[in-house]
Amino acid sequence: MFSKETIRRNWFSNIRADILAGIVVALALIPEAIGFSIIAGVDPRVGLYASVVIAIVISFAGGRPAMISAATAATAVLFGTLVREHGLQYLLAATILAGVIQIIAGWLRIGYVMRFVSRSVMTGFVNALAILIFMAQLPELIGVTWETYALIGVGLAIIYLFPRLTTKVPSPLVCILVLTALALMLGIDIRTVADLGELPDALPILLFPDIPLNLETLWIILPTSIAVAAVGLLESLLTASIVDQMTDTSSDKNRESIGQGIANIASGMFGGMAGCAMIGQSVINVKSGGRTRLSTFTAGSFLLFLLIVLGDLVGFIPMPALVAIMIMVSIGTFSWTSLADLRHHPRRSSLVMLATVITVVGTQNLALGVGVGVLLSGIFFAWKVAQIFRVTTTLSEDGKHRRYLVEGQIFFASADDFLSAFDFGEALESVTIDVGKAHIWDLTGVNAIDKAVLKFRKAGTEVEVVGLNDASATIMDQLAMHDQPNAMEKVLGH
């Protein structure tokens, strides 16, 4: 049960700024949603309805206040093949199934996997998104009239200079209003929102996809749904972490996963495509003063108001105004300090960041870029831990017994070093392998112990393993084979 204080804090503690920020976001969502609809191969209404429904639902169900979720390029690009081969109804069904998968992922507490995403990967993700946001504006910057460049310049001047006069009104909103007025008064022939596609003029209708409910349909939509769910959750959880840092607050990642699922189910039921968190719009929202769930709700509800009631007026908004805002987002999103940090940070950290940026920008696949970054981080971490490993040895006075003291982590990356530390050809009566200062982590570590013990036994040397801690003893009891019948054949292969 939510207390009055919790509701006030999450909804009504920043009313004026949240409403104004939400209005700015709603205006910025229109060209984005239309563009993403084109990417998916569907009517602009599908992306616009999705943005309305997802933003409104996530404002209640999500785990990160002030974060904006709507139709996105990351999910839209995954629908292209499905729409071409099977049509819109299968897109809607795949959207609903993706939402179900995300709810299950949230229930399984998938949010905790964010602990394995290093800061270098996060920085690379942010920088790559900033570059992609700017690149998305290039069609509006290349081969256009000088009036377009002039209006973009005026828009950027307003965005960066107006806050010196007052911060009570978000400068991006002033940019939209001033540039729209200038374009209309001067009669400038310039691209407007209306040129992007037809805006809907009716409320979305609750429906269920018109498809056969059988296993064949499931196999058709399942691959797309899994991909959409995974990419959507990845981008949402990373964006939530970024907003956490920007606002110096925390969020519930597992609730966000469930909330994204609920929002996508609702989107599919109202004729929209799947979406997820949008870092660009989230940055606009936060920089415009948005801090609570009210800003996200305002973005969705005002977008619906714009489409249904003010559609004709919205169509007059010049594209240079929105381009100026997105350039501001790109500049503000990019971590400029990361360039200077390249000289000071460890080379491996910098390499992870750069690899993430290059992969995301080169493939325009956020999931692949983050995957490469996480994989490199894991490899570098394992390599570093493997270096903190050594084996020292002492021989008894009579020369018949040798004691090996193992220090460090015994796992897949250090197993070879562990085995190479032993002299299996030395003529000894007995050997003690002391792992009191070591820890055995995985099957490869256990197998290394097995091989060491059996190679000594094969040479006629008695072996004793001592010093196992509780966790190492447990994994050895479960997986070790050196005391089992036929262990020589099973472990050494002969």
Side-chain angles (χ1 to χ4, degrees):
M1 193 75 178
F2 294 110
S3 66
K4 289 183 178 179
E5 175 57 28
T6 300
I7 294 174
R8 190 200 70 79
R9 184 175 64 252
N10 288 336
W11 283 90
F12 306 115
S13 60
N14 189 44
I15 295 177
R16 185 187 62 82
D18 282 332
I19 291 176
L20 291 174
I23 290 173
V24 174
V25 171
L27 291 166
L29 278 174
I30 294 174
E32 297 279 302
I34 294 174
F36 301 151
S37 299
I38 295 171
I39 291 173
V42 294
D43 187 277
R45 293 179 179 85
V46 177
L48 290 166
Y49 284 152
S51 295
V52 168
V53 173
I54 293 173
I56 291 176
V57 173
I58 205 69
S59 67
F60 293 95
R64 171 64 261 179
M67 188 167 75
I68 304 298
S69 294
T72 63
T75 54
V77 72
L78 299 171
F79 284 120
T81 302
L82 182 67
V83 172
R84 285 193 300 271
E85 295 181 357
H86 300 282
L88 173 62
Q89 295 301 316
Y90 281 80
L91 175 147
L92 302 180
T95 293
I96 294 172
L97 180 58
V100 173
I101 294 171
Q102 289 176 326
I103 291 174
I104 294 172
W107 180 71
L108 293 174
R109 310 184 77 78
I110 195 69
Y112 288 117
V113 303
M114 288 303 299
R115 293 180 294 179
F116 299 100
V117 179
S118 69
R119 182 172 180 83
S120 298
V121 176
M122 289 282 293
T123 302
F125 173 80
V126 169
N127 289 347
L129 279 175
I131 294 170
L132 289 180
I133 290 170
F134 181 81
M135 290 174 61
Q137 311 313 309
L138 292 180
E140 302 294 336
L141 294 170
I142 298 175
V144 295
T145 63
W146 70 268
E147 290 93 345
T148 299
Y149 294 120
L151 286 178
I152 292 174
V154 172
L156 288 171
I158 292 172
I159 288 170
Y160 287 108
L161 298 178
F162 187 79
R164 297 186 179 184
L165 299 177
T166 179
T167 57
K168 292 184 177 180
V169 180
S171 60
L173 179 58
V174 178
C175 168
I176 292 172
L177 296 175
V178 171
L179 264 61
T180 302
L182 281 175
L184 291 175
M185 288 189 299
L186 300 177
I188 301 174
D189 183 16
I190 203 162
R191 270 172 59 83
T192 65
V193 170
D195 295 324
L196 298 177
E198 185 180 355
L199 301 179
D201 56 4
L203 293 171
I205 301 173
L206 182 64
L207 51 83
F208 190 82
D210 184 16
I211 57 171
L213 298 179
N214 52 40
L215 283 177
E216 182 181 357
T217 298
L218 178 62
W219 294 132
I220 290 173
I221 66 174
L222 184 60
T224 300
S225 296
I226 292 174
V228 167
V231 171
L233 282 182
L234 177 63
E235 186 165 355
S236 296
L237 297 181
L238 286 172
T239 302
S241 296
I242 291 166
V243 177
D244 288 351
Q245 295 174 14
M246 291 180 66
T247 60
D248 195 25
T249 56
S250 61
S251 59
D252 187 336
K253 304 297 190 300
N254 295 311
R255 178 179 174 182
E256 182 61 34
S257 300
I258 295 173
Q260 291 288 335
I262 295 172
N264 279 327
I265 291 174
S267 178
M269 297 291 286
F270 278 99
M273 68 171 108
C276 61
M278 307 179 74
I279 186 171
Q281 275 65 25
S282 297
V283 170
I284 292 174
N285 190 43
V286 172
K287 287 186 175 294
S288 298
R291 290 295 182 273
T292 75
R293 297 179 183 275
L294 180 61
S295 62
T296 308
F297 177 81
T298 300
S301 57
F302 191 72
L303 174 59
L304 181 62
F305 175 78
L306 288 173
L307 297 175
I308 304 304
V309 180
L310 303 179
D312 292 337
L313 295 178
V314 170
F316 291 127
I317 296 176
M319 285 305 297
L322 300 176
V323 170
I325 292 174
M326 298 313 294
I327 291 175
M328 176 270 291
V329 171
S330 176
I331 293 172
T333 300
F334 194 90
S335 176
W336 298 100
T337 58
S338 65
L339 298 179
D341 291 339
L342 289 174
R343 294 182 300 171
H344 309 296
H345 283 181
R347 291 182 179 179
R348 288 186 292 273
S349 297
S350 297
L351 181 59
V352 168
M353 189 273 284
L354 291 173
T356 303
V357 172
I358 292 170
T359 305
V360 171
V361 174
T363 65
Q364 298 197 6
N365 186 322
L366 297 171
L368 182 60
V370 173
V372 168
V374 171
L375 178 61
L376 279 178
S377 295
I379 292 173
F380 289 147
F381 175 76
W383 181 84
K384 185 174 182 179
V385 172
Q387 306 309 302
I388 311 172
F389 176 85
R390 68 173 181 169
V391 179
T392 55
T393 178
T394 55
L395 183 66
S396 64
E397 293 183 0
D398 59 10
K400 297 180 180 180
H401 175 80
R402 184 174 291 279
R403 183 182 189 86
Y404 290 92
L405 176 62
V406 183
E407 299 176 82
Q409 314 304 314
I410 306 175
F411 67 119
F412 64 88
S414 62
D416 288 342
D417 291 337
F418 171 80
L419 288 171
S420 65
F422 300 102
D423 182 1
F424 299 109
E426 187 178 16
L428 298 168
E429 290 185 1
S430 62
V431 165
T432 298
I433 302 175
D434 186 351
V435 293
K437 295 184 177 181
H439 188 94
I440 303 168
W441 284 99
D442 60 3
L443 179 59
T444 306
V446 174
N447 183 255
I449 298 286
D450 282 339
K451 285 183 177 180
V453 171
L454 292 173
K455 283 185 177 183
F456 277 120
R457 287 178 180 173
K458 186 179 180 182
T461 304
E462 294 183 4
V463 186
E464 182 182 17
V465 179
V466 300
L468 289 167
N469 58 37
D470 291 341
S472 298
T474 299
I475 194 172
M476 287 292 293
D477 290 340
Q478 292 174 344
L479 302 175
M481 300 180 67
H482 57 261
D483 288 330
Q484 295 183 7
N486 302 318
M488 289 285 185
E489 291 77 6
K490 292 178 180 178
V491 177
L492 300 182
H494 53 79

